[in-house]
Amino acid sequence: MCDICVMNAVKTKMLSRRNFFRSAAGGALAAAAGTGLAGAASAAGHGGGTGMVPADLTHTYDADFPTYFGKPGISTEQNFNFAEHGFNLKTLTLNEHTGTHIDAPLHFSADGNSVDEIPVESLVAPLCVIDIRERAAENPDAQVSPDDIKAWIAEHGEIPAGACVAMNSGWDKHVNSDKYRNADAEGVMHFPGFHIEATKMLMEETGATSMAVDTLSLDHGPSTDFVTHYAWLPSGRFGIENIANLDAVPAAGATLVIGAPKHRGGTGGPARIIALI
């Protein structure tokens, strides 16, 4: 079918739909004025009627969003626009590891699970937030240590099975500045991450299945051997990088909903991360 035929067909369908919704609007609004409206308001404001309040832990990203290698990780092309064609459509080109995103086991292993193979039960997880903001403010190369994990356990109890353990370094507030990458004159980046000994402790002594950082990498910025990546991901666990707004959630008790992408063979991909509090 020719392009103009497609566009005309779309416009005809849109006009038909508009007429339908105009005629239905009165009845729909009248129905919503009753108990349905109260239910809808409750669902919108309180986690779908569950009594839990959602918090968005996802950065909005575009071509200016910082990336590990410094090059833009996303580009868009406007193929159709509403003014000319009656609908909007873009082609999106992106690096899998852009914005708030998943690191699948395949990212740092020869044959680990790709992002579409991450078990769905792992995508809803108890959230454990380890706060190292004070230390990171003084030392950008600060790392989550075994002592940080022990302190969290002493205060909140054991890390639950299937948990996501997240580092709150406060680094997300730098996302719109050069400090997010924080590269020195030699090009070495400086930002917080998980120390390998803390990573091993999570693997050997807890049932955590994912870890999250509010920086560009699970390993801290100066790392050249990526020991945390190479320990954590080949074990079948996964990571979340560039998580945002951890200040909005408690250290314990929230549930993380991880909207992982599902493209076959993917090493990761941008994800919508939501905490239910």
Side-chain angles (χ1 to χ4, degrees), residues 201-220:
M201 182 179 178
L202 290 175
M203 294 171 61
E204 296 168 2
E205 301 181 28
T206 80
T209 56
S210 58
M211 63 165 56
V213 294
D214 55 357
T215 60
L216 284 164
S217 175
L218 304 179
D219 289 275
H220 74 324

Side-chain angles (χ1 to χ4, degrees), residues 126-128 152 157-165 206-209:
L127 177 60
C128 307
W152 191 97
E158 294 298 322
I159 292 173
C164 176
V165 179
T206 80
T209 56

Side-chain angles (χ1 to χ4, degrees), residues 31 64 95 121 161 172 210 222 230 259 268:
D64 294 324
N95 181 304
E121 58 268 23
D172 62 333
S210 58
Y230 278 116

Side-chain angles (χ1 to χ4, degrees), residues 40-123:
S42 175
H46 299 285
T50 64
M52 304 180 80
V53 178
D56 193 350
L57 307 187
T58 317
H59 285 292
T60 300
Y61 68 99
D62 56 22
D64 294 324
F65 194 91
T67 63
Y68 188 87
F69 295 106
K71 299 178 180 179
I74 178 176
S75 64
T76 58
E77 178 186 356
Q78 184 90 36
N79 305 110
F80 297 92
N81 65 78
F82 193 84
E84 294 181 58
H85 309 114
F87 65 100
N88 291 305
L89 186 149
K90 298 179 181 180
T91 293
L92 179 68
T93 303
L94 57 84
N95 181 304
E96 290 176 311
H97 299 269
T98 300
T100 302
H101 68 270
I102 302 291
D103 275 9
L106 184 60
H107 185 36
F108 270 72
S109 62
D111 56 0
N113 280 352
S114 55
V115 70
D116 57 299
E117 295 172 328
I118 294 175
V120 68
E121 58 268 23
S122 298
L123 301 178

